[in-house]
Amino acid sequence: MAKRYENISVSFDESSNQANFIFSVAMMPVIFIYFEVILHMATGIEWSRSAWMYVLIYSLIAGSLLYIASTLFSYKVNRVIFLIACGLIGFVYAVYEVYYSFFRAFIDMTAAGEAGNMLRDFLGNIISCTFKNIHWVALFMLPLFLFIRLTKKTVRIQRSSFPFKAGVLVFMLVFLGLRSLLISINSNEYDDKFYYNEGYDVTIAAQRFGLPTAIRLNVKYTLFGRPEVELTPPDTVESIDMGQLFGTTTADTTTLPAPPTGTGSDGSSSAIETEPPFVPVDRVLDINFEQLAASASKSTIKSMHQYFGSVTPTQTNKYTGMFEGKNLIYITAEGFTDKVIDPQLTPTLYKIATQGFVFNNCYNSLWGGSTATGEYLSMTGLFYNSSSCLKKSGGGSDGKVRNMYYALGNTFSREGYLTYAFHNHNPKYYSRHLSHPNFGFTFIGANGSYDGYTYSDGITYPTNAWPKSDLEMAQLSTPYYIDSDKPFCAYYMTVSGHANYNWGGNNMSKKHRAEVAHLSYSEEVKAYIACNLELELMLEDLIKQLTAKGILEDTVFVISADHYPYALSEDSLAELYGLPKDGILENFDLYRNKFMIWSASMDEPVVVDKYCSSTDIIPTVYNLFGIEYDSRLLMGIDVMSSAGGLVILNTHGSSWNWLTDYGYYSTAAGSFTPHPGVTVGNDSALRTYINNMKSIVSNKRKYSLAILDNDYYRYVFG
C-alpha cells in the first residue's frame, strides 16, 4: 500500500512521489532562470559580472513565492494558480523582449501614460515586431504548454503543510537578506548599489539584477518616487598642469579659427570686429549664490546654490553675437544619423553639414532611451534620465509646472522673438501639449483623433499615413511665422525618420524607395535612408521659401538628433556605421553624430575638433545669437568658448562614461584611454585628472536631475 505524504499526491508509489515533490519545488526557480536565459539570447544584451548571481538569488526567492502560492489549496486549484502564473510571467517576458527589439530599451513605467498613444500610433509596428520575434515569443510561452500537459498526469502539486511553507519562507528571507547584503557591498561609484537606487535605469537594472527586479523597482519608483539624490557641497578640484600631463594632440581642439566673413541681405558684414582687441568676459548674470544659499530654507536648495556658485563659467569669445538678430529654425530630427548625408542623395543636408559650423567630434547620448529625453535636452540644455521629463516639466506628472527659464522658446521670447513649435504627430504624445508651451512656444501639433480625443487646433496633413511627412510640415507651418515683422524662432520635432524601417510599415520609406534602390545596403538600411530623404525635402523647401521672401541670409539653421536610430537591428547598424557587430551597442562610435549650425550668410565653414555633445547646443546657440545667460546654470558649454570639451555618454549597457579632448573614460572598464596622438606624461597627475573629471560628471548628473525635480530655476529667477 502506498505511503501517504502531506506534500505530494497519493496516486503514485513512494519513489514517484518523492521525485514529483522535489521536481515541484525545484521547477519554480528554474522557470525564472529559463526566462532570463531566453531573454539574454533574444536581446543580446550583456549581463554584468554579478548579474547571474542576482538572477539565481531572485529566482530562488520568486520561485519560493510561487511555490507557496500554488500549494495553498487542492490539486486542481493549485494547478490553475501555477499555470496562470507561469503563463503570465512568460507573457511579461515576451512583451519586454518585443518592446526591446523595437526601442532597444525595456519598458519604463514612468511613461505608462503613453501606453494608449503607443498602442494606437504604433499598433502596426508592434504587430510587425511580434511576428518578427515570434520564435522568441514561442519560447517564452513554451513552459506554459509543457506544464499544462505535465501537471495533468505526471506532476501533481498538492497542498503542503504549514511547517513546510514556513521553512520555504525562511529560505526565501535568507536569500532576500543575502541580496541586500551583496548590493550594499557593491557601493563604489556606478556599482550595483548606485543602479539599484538613485542611478536606476530599467534597462541597466535588467542587465545587472534580472528583469523581475528591474520591473519591481520600476513599479516602486513610479508609485513612490525615486530615491533622492544626495546633494552635498561641491568638492574642491585639484589643479593640474595639463601641459605636463598630456602631450600634443593630433588636432588642436581649443584654438578656434577666426569667425568666417560674409554679408547679410542688407550688405552688412557678419564678421566680428576684432579691433580694438577682443576682451573675453565671464558668461554670468548678477546672481548672488552665496546670499541665496544663506537664506535657503531647504538643505537641497542650499546645496544647489552652493554648487552653481562654484561652477567655473565660460567666457564670451570672437563668435559671440555673430548671428545676433537673425531668425532661427531649430530642428530635432527623429532618429537621425549623419551616415545618411550624401552629396548626391541629400545635397541640402550635405551643404548644411559641410558649409556651416562643422563639429567633428559630437555625440548623442542616451538618457532614457526615448525621443522625450533627447528632445528635452535639445530644448533646455539639461538632461534627464526618464522619458517622463517633458510631462514633468509641464506639470503633467504632479500638477506642478516647472520654471523652465532657459528653455529655447522662453529665452528667445525674452529677446522679442516670435516663437512657434511644430510636430507632425500626436500633440499629446509625451505631453508635448504641456511641455512646449511651458518652454515658451505656441505649440502646433497634427490634427486628428488620438486615443479617445480629437485635436483640431493644429495642422491637418493631406497625407494621413504613418509617419507623416516632414515636407508637408514645412509647407504648412511657415505661414505662421515667415511674414512676421519680428524675428522668429521656429522649432520642429520631425517624425518622418521614425521606425519601423521597411517598405510596408513606413509610408516615407515607401515614398522614396526608388531613390535608394541603387544603394548596396540591406532592405532595412535602405528603408531607413529612404525615410530620411523626407527631411532633405523639408530643408530644401524651407530654404526655397526663405529665399523667396528674401530672408534666407537672415536665418540660421540648427539641426540635431534626439538619438541614434536604435530601432535598426544590430546587423543593420553595423552595416550603416561600418562598425563591428560584436558589442556595437557599447561602441562609443555608434553615438557619434553631427549637430549642424548653418547660415547662408557664411562664406566659409568653421571646423571644430573639440569634443562636444547635444548638451552643448543650447549654450552655443545662445552665444552665437549674443543672448545674455548664466553659463553656470546649464549642463553643457558654449563649444566656441575656451573651455575644454566634455561629453557625458550613456549607452545601452553603461552610463556616465565621459570623453574629453584628451581621451575617454569607460565606467564599465573603470579605465581611461587617451585619444590617438595623445601621450600621458604623469601617472599621479592622470589619477588626479580622472578623479576631477569623475567628480565633475557626477555633479552634472546630480544637479541636472535636481533642477527639474526641485523646480530650481524658480528659486533663482522667481
Side-chain angles (χ1 to χ4, degrees):
M1 183 175 178
K3 184 177 179 180
R4 289 182 175 271
Y5 287 86
E6 276 190 284
N7 300 314
I8 59 176
S9 168
V10 297
S11 59
F12 302 97
D13 61 27
E14 184 172 335
S15 60
S16 297
N17 284 333
Q18 290 173 338
N20 289 332
F21 173 70
I22 293 172
F23 182 73
S24 64
V25 174
M27 69 179 174
M28 314 229 179
V30 169
I31 291 170
F32 286 95
I33 295 175
Y34 168 82
F35 284 139
E36 287 290 327
V37 170
I38 298 301
L39 185 67
H40 174 70
M41 294 169 61
T43 59
I45 60 175
E46 297 182 7
W47 266 249
S48 66
R49 289 168 297 188
S50 57
W52 287 113
M53 176 177 59
Y54 288 114
V55 168
L56 176 60
I57 291 173
Y58 188 86
S59 297
L60 292 170
I61 295 170
S64 299
L65 278 174
L66 181 56
Y67 175 78
I68 292 173
S70 59
T71 57
L72 292 171
F73 307 102
S74 66
Y75 156 67
K76 290 185 178 180
V77 176
N78 290 340
R79 179 173 182 264
V80 171
I81 292 173
F82 174 74
L83 292 178
I84 290 175
C86 186
L88 184 60
I89 294 166
F91 175 77
V92 169
Y93 269 90
V95 168
Y96 273 76
E97 189 280 325
V98 170
Y99 186 93
Y100 185 91
S101 72
F102 187 69
F103 290 103
R104 286 295 186 275
F106 289 120
I107 300 169
D108 187 345
M109 293 180 188
T110 59
E114 306 299 337
N117 293 330
M118 184 176 295
L119 283 173
R120 180 199 177 279
D121 298 334
F122 301 128
L123 182 60
N125 292 331
I126 293 169
I127 294 173
S128 174
C129 272
T130 302
F131 277 104
K132 187 177 179 180
N133 292 272
I134 195 65
H135 54 298
W136 296 117
V137 174
L139 285 173
F140 284 121
M141 301 311 295
L142 180 61
L144 172 63
F145 296 107
L146 288 177
F147 288 127
I148 286 175
R149 183 172 181 81
L150 195 62
T151 58
K152 188 174 183 180
K153 294 184 178 180
T154 307
V155 178
R156 300 172 68 84
I157 306 172
Q158 298 291 82
R159 181 182 305 179
S160 60
S161 65
F162 177 78
F164 188 81
K165 286 191 182 75
V168 173
L169 185 61
V170 170
F171 173 84
M172 182 186 71
L173 293 174
V174 168
F175 277 94
L176 276 171
L178 177 61
R179 183 191 65 187
S180 300
L181 177 63
L182 289 172
I183 290 172
S184 64
I185 291 174
N186 288 285
S187 58
N188 296 326
E189 185 180 36
Y190 307 137
D191 214 330
D192 291 340
K193 185 177 181 180
F194 170 79
Y195 289 111
Y196 195 86
N197 294 292
E198 68 178 72
Y200 171 82
D201 172 87
V202 63
T203 303
I204 295 179
Q207 292 174 281
R208 286 180 171 266
F209 311 114
L211 186 62
T213 299
I215 294 174
R216 179 181 62 81
L217 292 174
N218 202 189
V219 172
K220 175 183 175 181
Y221 296 154
T222 299
L223 294 177
F224 305 107
R226 295 174 182 240
E228 286 192 15
V229 178
E230 183 180 354
L231 300 179
T232 57
D235 298 327
T236 301
V237 177
E238 297 184 46
S239 61
I240 306 173
D241 186 337
M242 301 299 287
Q244 291 184 1
L245 174 57
F246 295 113
T248 57
T249 64
T250 55
D252 191 340
T253 60
T254 55
T255 303
L256 297 167
T261 59
T263 55
S265 60
D266 59 355
S268 61
S269 172
S270 64
I272 304 299
E273 293 291 337
T274 57
E275 295 293 341
F278 177 80
V279 179
V281 297
D282 285 347
R283 271 273 183 215
V284 296
L285 300 180
D286 186 18
I287 302 173
N288 191 330
F289 285 107
E290 185 176 343
Q291 182 178 340
L292 288 171
S295 60
S297 59
K298 298 180 181 180
S299 60
T300 296
I301 303 303
K302 180 177 181 178
S303 295
M304 295 182 75
H305 290 320
Q306 291 173 327
Y307 167 72
F308 288 111
S310 72
V311 173
T312 301
T314 58
Q315 294 184 318
T316 57
N317 50 74
K318 293 182 179 181
Y319 291 87
T320 300
M322 176 178 173
F323 296 140
E324 185 172 358
K326 289 186 181 291
N327 304 309
L328 173 62
I329 292 180
Y330 193 112
I331 299 173
T332 300
E334 171 63 47
F336 178 79
T337 172
D338 59 1
K339 302 303 179 184
V340 307
I341 299 176
D342 178 83
Q344 281 74 47
L345 204 57
T346 60
T348 309
L349 267 169
Y350 183 79
K351 177 171 66 176
I352 292 174
T354 59
Q355 298 303 310
F357 285 84
V358 182
F359 300 98
N360 286 327
N361 294 302
C362 185
Y363 290 77
N364 278 133
S365 180
L366 286 180
W367 302 108
S370 73
T371 294
T373 49
E375 189 175 16
Y376 175 79
L377 176 62
S378 292
M379 301 180 80
T380 66
L382 307 172
F383 52 78
Y384 201 77
N385 62 351
S386 166
S387 58
S388 64
C389 53
L390 292 178
K391 184 176 184 179
K392 190 170 188 175
S393 66
S397 58
D398 55 11
K400 184 179 180 181
V401 178
R402 268 63 174 179
N403 181 332
M404 306 305 298
Y405 188 82
Y406 279 131
L408 185 69
N410 288 328
T411 300
F412 275 88
S413 291
R414 289 194 297 272
E415 297 295 314
Y417 278 63
L418 181 69
T419 56
Y420 274 96
F422 303 94
H423 180 47
N424 46 342
H425 189 50
N426 182 347
K428 285 193 175 182
Y429 210 103
Y430 291 129
S431 299
R432 289 184 178 94
H433 67 301
L434 300 177
S435 61
H436 288 26
N438 193 41
F439 291 161
F441 291 103
T442 299
F443 178 55
I444 308 294
N447 287 339
S449 297
Y450 301 100
D451 195 26
Y453 73 95
T454 299
Y455 184 78
S456 58
D457 296 326
I459 294 173
T460 300
Y461 287 85
T463 306
N464 187 21
W466 171 256
K468 288 185 172 63
S469 165
D470 293 342
L471 170 60
E472 291 180 3
M473 178 165 62
Q475 294 170 333
L476 298 171
S477 62
T478 50
Y480 286 90
Y481 61 81
I482 201 166
D483 291 318
S484 171
D485 56 358
K486 299 166 60 177
F488 60 78
C489 170
Y491 171 83
Y492 290 94
M493 177 71 229
T494 71
V495 80
S496 290
H498 203 291
N500 265 351
Y501 304 118
N502 52 54
W503 310 126
N506 189 309
N507 188 62
M508 294 299 111
S509 296
K510 182 179 179 180
K511 176 182 177 180
H512 298 287
R513 181 174 184 175
E515 296 163 66
V516 300
H518 66 285
L519 298 178
S520 57
Y521 287 119
S522 63
E523 178 179 317
E524 187 178 38
V525 175
K526 284 184 181 180
Y528 169 72
I529 296 173
C531 67
N532 276 279
L533 296 186
E534 198 70 4
L535 174 63
E536 165 70 15
L537 295 183
M538 173 187 181
L539 294 169
E540 180 183 306
D541 183 79
L542 287 171
I543 288 174
K544 285 181 180 178
Q545 291 193 60
L546 293 167
T547 302
K549 294 290 183 180
I551 57 173
L552 177 62
E553 292 186 344
D554 294 325
T555 304
V556 179
F557 284 80
V558 175
I559 306 171
S560 68
D562 52 351
H563 51 71
Y564 82 98
Y566 52 59
L568 285 172
S569 67
E570 292 179 30
D571 286 328
S572 295
L573 288 171
E575 181 183 7
L576 179 63
Y577 281 77
L579 298 173
K581 178 186 173 183
D582 186 33
I584 192 170
L585 299 183
E586 282 296 288
N587 191 323
F588 288 0
D589 282 340
L590 181 65
Y591 305 90
R592 186 191 290 264
N593 207 338
K594 288 188 184 297
F595 88 81
M596 296 165 269
I597 301 177
W598 173 81
S599 172
S601 63
M602 298 173 65
D603 283 343
E604 56 188 7
V606 178
V607 179
V608 183
D609 291 318
K610 181 185 291 187
Y611 276 73
C612 59
S613 71
S614 303
T615 316
D616 303 315
I617 300 175
I618 285 289
T620 301
V621 169
Y622 290 174
N623 175 69
L624 289 170
F625 277 79
I627 294 173
E628 296 297 322
Y629 69 97
D630 197 309
S631 59
R632 297 170 294 180
L633 289 168
L634 294 171
M635 291 302 112
I637 62 165
D638 163 24
V639 183
M640 312 313 293
S641 71
S642 59
L646 171 62
V647 175
I648 300 174
L649 189 63
N650 290 352
T651 69
H652 280 288
S654 64
S655 57
W656 314 113
N657 310 288
W658 46 268
L659 301 89
T660 68
D661 299 326
Y662 304 104
Y664 64 89
Y665 182 85
S666 167
T667 56
S671 62
F672 176 82
T673 304
H675 293 312
V678 176
T679 57
V680 179
N682 186 308
D683 289 341
S684 176
L686 177 61
R687 286 193 294 271
T688 301
Y689 172 74
I690 291 172
N691 289 333
N692 285 350
M693 293 307 304
K694 288 169 68 175
S695 178
I696 290 170
V697 170
S698 178
N699 282 331
K700 285 182 179 292
R701 172 184 60 80
K702 293 177 181 179
Y703 289 98
S704 186
L705 303 182
I707 286 175
L708 183 61
D709 289 342
N710 296 280
D711 194 13
Y712 177 69
Y713 286 159
R714 195 173 302 278
Y715 289 91
V716 179
F717 300 110

